[in-house]
Amino acid sequence: MEKMIVMGGKPLNGEVTISGAKNSAVAVIPAALLVDGVCRIENVPNINDVTVLLNILASLGAKHRYVSSDVIDIDCTNLKTHVVPYEMAVKMRASSYLIGSLIGRFNKAEVAMPGGCNFGVRPIDQHLKGFVALGADVKLEHGVVNAVAEKLIASSIYLDVVSVGATINIMLAASKAEGVTHIENASKEPHVVDVANFLNAMGANIKGAGTDVIKITGVRSLHGGTYSIIPDQIEAGTFMLAAAATKGNCLIKNVIPKHLEAITSKLIEMGVQVEEFEDSVRVSRTGELKATNIKTLPYPGYPTDLQPQTVALLSIAKGVSVITESVWDNRFQYIDEVRRMGADIKVDGRSAIIQGVHELMGAPVKMTDLRAGAALIIAGLAANGVTELANLVHIDRGYENLEQKLQALGAQIVRKVCDDAPEFPDVKKHA
Ligand code: EPZ
């Protein structure tokens, strides 16, 4: 088993470059299924979720080749099937995007119900409602979604919840439907806009992405082209929170500062300095952290995908903070692990009540999902002593070269294959 060993207490200092957005990449790659021709996708993060999706596309007959470490050519001209192997689809949540793309391409799709991080019920009823509105007959049989349409016809679809996945999935299918589709109460997340921009670059006609009504005029076919994925808002936020937690000073490069505004303003409330530049932000802290209250919300609100990392930071802020999770119904499973490190947190329904402690202590902990893993790393970096993290499979799904990037900022973090004691020369001095 692999473990990460973090020797806490060192401020993060220096520069880090943010990779392409995971949640864009995992939608843009399935979107390539709609394209006749070669899509060159740039700024693709090198993470396991991308590898899984490329393997799924290959199983459908697509070809891909890495032009460089973050540029991929995908050619879906000669797809041979609309059926996604069951065991591949259940590996990740984003496999649901294969349904929209395959219906758009073949008027039919057979894809297992998606897997992904487990934080409560994760229905796809709004996705399916969208496909039905576009004229598909959708059945759920033996864990597999089977959708068939004679032809896709545009429709007006009101989403009962603001759903990133449903918005993107309906956009994918509707790009090839006959007529003009409206998605109302659409998600406004940066990666929704990114997928719309990708599709438009390949010849689609989508307007309004980034607002709550998206208008999609169907086209007969999409052509090849080149597209660069936006920087990862959540990876950037994770480094901002890590810099603040360790009393560091980091220049976080290749970001879109507008996407980070909710995080920036909350960090400033906590007493952290944040300077914005054109495509970078500098985060530094010299004084004490102040408690604050946060509610996660769809974009432009505070992102749920930074909730665990923010709890890790607030666990060492002076005073009582309340963080309310309004997107997912059970995204506090990791809190038991942060408590092992000495955090004083109570969960009451959808809120975590955090009584800040003077310092966290290193401990053996387990990642319970992707962002929980990032939270535990932040806690470990800020803690006194050694933290040993297990279940790295979660973090590898979504962060590119995380420990190398942290090491370059001065963190003492290593990955080990066995249960050996850590080999930091100064462990005893700090522990
Ligand atoms: C996306 O998940 C992200 N995943 C998640 O990030 C993120 O937490 C989430 O959006 C919210 O921002 C990807 O982009 C791959 P939703 P998604 O549909 O699309 C309810 C990470 O850590 N809902 O916006 O699955 C649902 O239960 C991951 O990177 C329905 O009720 O989320 C939830 O309460 C984890 N019916 C809310 O909507 C539906 O049909 C938002 O879900 C769909 C969703």
Side-chain angles (χ1 to χ4, degrees):
M1 193 200 357
E2 279 194 328
K3 285 192 174 171
M4 247 181 215
I5 318 286
V6 182
M7 172 68 210
K10 290 210 80 179
L12 296 182
N13 284 316
E15 298 184 358
V16 60
T17 301
I18 297 307
S19 302
K22 164 197 167 256
N23 286 343
S24 284
V26 299
V28 162
I29 293 170
L33 290 168
L34 288 163
V35 176
D36 293 302
V38 179
C39 307
R40 174 159 294 188
I41 310 172
E42 300 172 343
N43 204 29
V44 181
N46 188 356
I47 51 175
N48 283 353
D49 272 8
V50 162
T51 311
V52 170
L53 276 170
L54 290 173
N55 289 338
I56 293 178
L57 260 59
S59 77
L60 302 174
K63 297 203 164 22
H64 70 265
R65 93 186 160 93
Y66 270 92
V67 180
S68 65
S69 61
D70 65 346
V71 180
I72 315 177
D73 279 352
I74 301 181
D75 184 355
C76 294
T77 314
N78 296 312
L79 292 183
K80 54 180 197 283
T81 175
H82 65 285
V83 182
V84 177
Y86 188 95
E87 61 294 348
M88 293 179 117
V90 293
K91 282 189 181 163
M92 62 191 304
R93 179 72 178 171
S95 55
S96 65
Y97 296 139
L98 299 160
I99 312 174
S101 299
L102 288 167
I103 305 182
R105 176 70 184 244
F106 292 116
N107 286 352
K108 54 187 178 179
E110 221 179 286
V111 184
M113 285 288 284
C117 287
N118 174 19
F119 24 73
V121 186
R122 295 189 72 178
I124 57 165
D125 57 300
Q126 298 301 305
H127 306 224
L128 303 185
K129 163 176 140 173
F131 302 142
V132 170
L134 294 172
D137 179 27
V138 180
K139 291 198 175 71
L140 181 59
E141 289 168 336
H142 310 293
V144 175
V145 177
N146 202 326
V148 184
E150 215 163 279
K151 66 174 177 179
L152 293 174
I153 300 179
S155 184
S156 251
I157 299 151
Y158 173 83
L159 297 180
D160 299 337
V161 286
V162 178
S163 160
V164 175
T167 304
I168 292 179
N169 229 341
I170 296 167
M171 224 161 55
L172 291 168
S175 304
K176 298 284 287 295
E178 206 176 286
V180 184
T181 296
H182 289 88
I183 307 176
E184 288 169 43
N185 198 26
S187 157
K188 298 183 274 222
E189 302 290 324
H191 39 291
V192 170
V193 180
D194 210 29
V195 178
N197 288 341
F198 166 80
L199 290 167
N200 284 342
M202 306 296 144
N205 184 350
I206 302 175
K207 296 201 168 77
T211 72
D212 43 23
V213 182
I214 302 181
K215 186 174 129 192
I216 306 135
T217 306
V219 295
R220 274 184 183 280
S221 65
L222 298 183
H223 53 71
T226 299
Y227 189 76
S228 185
I229 286 177
I230 51 166
D232 196 310
Q233 174 207 29
I234 304 301
E235 187 197 5
T238 301
F239 277 98
M240 291 170 80
L241 295 163
T246 61
K247 270 196 164 181
N249 184 334
C250 294
L251 182 67
I252 300 159
K253 301 198 306 192
N254 187 35
V255 302
I256 299 174
K258 172 129 195 67
H259 294 169
L260 303 172
E261 273 170 2
I263 304 123
T264 298
S265 48
K266 278 293 163 186
L267 282 174
I268 290 170
E269 265 181 51
M270 291 178 217
V272 178
Q273 288 76 50
V274 185
E275 278 176 276
E276 282 182 13
F277 306 100
E278 203 182 312
D279 60 358
S280 60
V281 288
R282 179 175 291 284
V283 178
S284 60
R285 172 163 79 91
T286 44
E288 242 179 19
L289 277 171
K290 289 182 252 169
T292 188
N293 298 331
I294 296 179
K295 183 172 184 181
T296 66
L297 288 166
Y299 188 82
Y302 199 89
T304 171
D305 291 345
L306 288 173
Q307 178 259 103
Q309 303 90 313
T310 308
V311 166
L313 176 66
L314 290 173
S315 69
I316 49 168
K318 192 172 164 49
V320 179
S321 304
V322 178
I323 188 153
T324 303
E325 173 57 58
S326 82
V327 178
W328 297 109
D329 57 14
N330 188 11
R331 205 175 189 172
F332 287 131
Q333 292 161 358
Y334 67 92
I335 280 185
D336 278 346
E337 300 299 305
V338 194
R339 283 198 194 111
R340 283 178 201 280
M341 302 178 69
D344 181 353
I345 308 172
K346 288 187 188 63
V347 175
D348 183 7
R350 284 191 164 220
S351 295
I353 299 141
I354 308 155
Q355 169 71 62
V357 293
H358 176 62
E359 68 175 4
L360 296 173
M361 288 163 294
V365 288
K366 283 198 188 83
M367 300 183 179
T368 50
D369 65 62
L370 170 62
R371 308 302 174 188
L376 292 168
I377 292 176
I378 292 176
L381 291 168
N384 183 5
V386 177
T387 296
E388 203 179 282
L389 298 112
N391 284 1
L392 306 188
V393 62
H394 294 296
I395 203 89
D396 291 340
R397 283 189 39 220
Y399 284 91
E400 175 175 274
N401 295 336
L402 184 57
E403 64 263 35
Q404 289 87 337
K405 288 185 182 184
L406 288 169
Q407 282 160 0
L409 293 171
Q412 289 195 295
I413 179 167
V414 289
R415 191 179 281 244
K416 300 204 95 188
V417 176
C418 53
D419 295 337
D420 288 352
E423 285 166 2
F424 296 113
D426 49 355
V427 163
K428 287 211 178 67
K429 250 192 306 181
H430 288 83

